């Protein structure tokens, strides 16, 4: 069984988290059965962007990082307090741990800025929310990343993406890394993506 740590910052965007629980959950029950997602936050209760409350299964203090095979992080909104958690040292240390172990790290949209803040994107190809009116791409470059104007960028074991519209593709790419192309095709078919 592959255990995926779904790391949630306060103010995360629910749809960007749910793609991981759905895709990896469908795989658990209908695919090759090899994936299990554990939702983890810095506190017992989190508020999503646009205000509904989520109770993660565990807090960072409750878990052993060594037990997990991959890390997934949804983005969120500054107005909802996303960066208060995403730039917290405890949060960043989780990212650093997975990077040191060369385990897959999948981020959606501005979650790549937490990766950048942690220092792991220095000299790597990456992307983040890239709407022309947004300041996020400049912020990513300031963390030392080589900004790529692509929807999804994979550099080694790290996946970054440019907007919420990439969310399902990022989740399927993580599933492919953890299982196989054939298994992803099977799950996509069952979920109506093929």
């Amino acid at each position: 069984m592959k255990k995926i740590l779904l790391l949630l910052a306060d103010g995360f965007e629910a749809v960007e988290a749910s793609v991981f629980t759905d895709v990896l959950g469908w795989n658990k029950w209908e695919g090759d059965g090899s994936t299990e997602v554990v939702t983890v936050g810095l506190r017992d209760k989190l508020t999503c962007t646009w205000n509904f409350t989520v109770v993660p299964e565990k807090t960072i203090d409750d878990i052993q990082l060594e037990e997990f095979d991959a890390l997934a992080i949804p983005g969120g909104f500054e107005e909802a307090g996303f960066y208060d958690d995403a730039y917290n040292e405890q949060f960043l240390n989780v990212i650093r741990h997975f990077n040191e172990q060369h385990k897959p790290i999948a981020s959606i949209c501005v979650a790549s800025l937490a990766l950048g803040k942690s220092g792991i994107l220095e000299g790597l190809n990456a992307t983040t929310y890239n709407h022309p009116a947004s300041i996020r791409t400049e912020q990513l470059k300031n963390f030392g990343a080589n900004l790529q104007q692509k929807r999804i960028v994979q550099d080694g074991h790290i996946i970054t993406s440019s907007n919420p519209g990439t969310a399902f593709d990022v989740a399927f790419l993580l599933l492919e890394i953890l299982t196989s192309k054939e298994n992803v095709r099977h799950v996509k078919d069952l979920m109506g993506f093929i």
Side-chain angles (χ1 to χ4, degrees):
M1 184 67 74
K2 303 254 173 70
K3 282 179 76 173
I4 298 91
L5 195 164
L6 181 55
L7 187 57
L8 304 174
D10 210 37
F12 74 89
E13 203 162 347
V15 69
E16 295 180 17
S18 67
V19 292
F20 291 115
T21 58
D22 271 36
V23 167
L24 298 163
W26 271 78
N27 183 64
K28 182 177 181 177
W29 285 359
E30 303 290 339
D32 73 3
S34 68
T35 51
E36 179 185 348
V37 176
V38 179
T39 55
V40 177
L42 293 182
R43 56 182 65 85
D44 295 333
K45 196 183 284 188
L46 302 167
T47 304
C48 297
T49 298
W50 302 297
N51 297 328
F52 67 86
T53 302
V54 171
V55 177
E57 294 163 83
K58 307 267 186 186
T59 65
I60 287 177
D61 296 330
D62 297 331
I63 60 169
Q64 297 297 320
L65 293 177
E66 297 75 23
E67 293 178 8
F68 292 89
D69 301 288
L71 176 64
I73 311 175
F77 271 65
E78 186 164 8
E79 294 84 345
F82 178 76
Y83 298 100
D84 296 344
D85 279 7
Y87 284 3
N88 178 291
E89 274 304 305
Q90 256 192 310
F91 199 98
L92 299 176
N93 281 335
V94 173
I95 295 168
R96 292 174 185 127
H97 171 86
F98 280 84
N99 186 59
E100 285 159 11
Q101 302 300 315
H102 297 282
K103 291 179 177 177
I105 299 172
S107 65
I108 297 173
C109 199
V110 296
S112 60
L113 294 173
L115 274 52
K117 178 82 171 169
S118 77
I120 72 166
L121 294 182
E122 183 80 40
L124 297 185
N125 295 326
T127 192
T128 193
Y129 183 61
N130 64 357
H131 189 276
S134 175
I135 60 170
R136 303 304 176 200
T137 53
E138 277 306 309
Q139 290 175 325
L140 190 72
K141 285 196 269 189
N142 289 338
F143 288 131
N146 300 321
L147 179 70
Q148 305 294 302
Q149 293 295 347
K150 295 179 181 172
R151 291 183 77 245
I152 296 172
V153 175
Q154 183 177 356
D155 193 330
H157 60 283
I158 299 171
I159 302 164
T160 55
S161 83
S162 57
N163 59 62
T166 64
F168 268 110
D169 291 335
V170 170
F172 283 123
L173 180 55
L174 179 60
L175 181 60
E176 183 180 317
I177 290 167
L178 294 171
T179 64
S180 68
K181 273 186 170 32
E182 295 70 33
N183 183 58
V184 170
R185 197 173 300 116
H186 173 66
V187 174
K188 278 186 167 180
D189 179 48
L190 292 172
M191 292 182 76
F193 282 90
I194 295 178

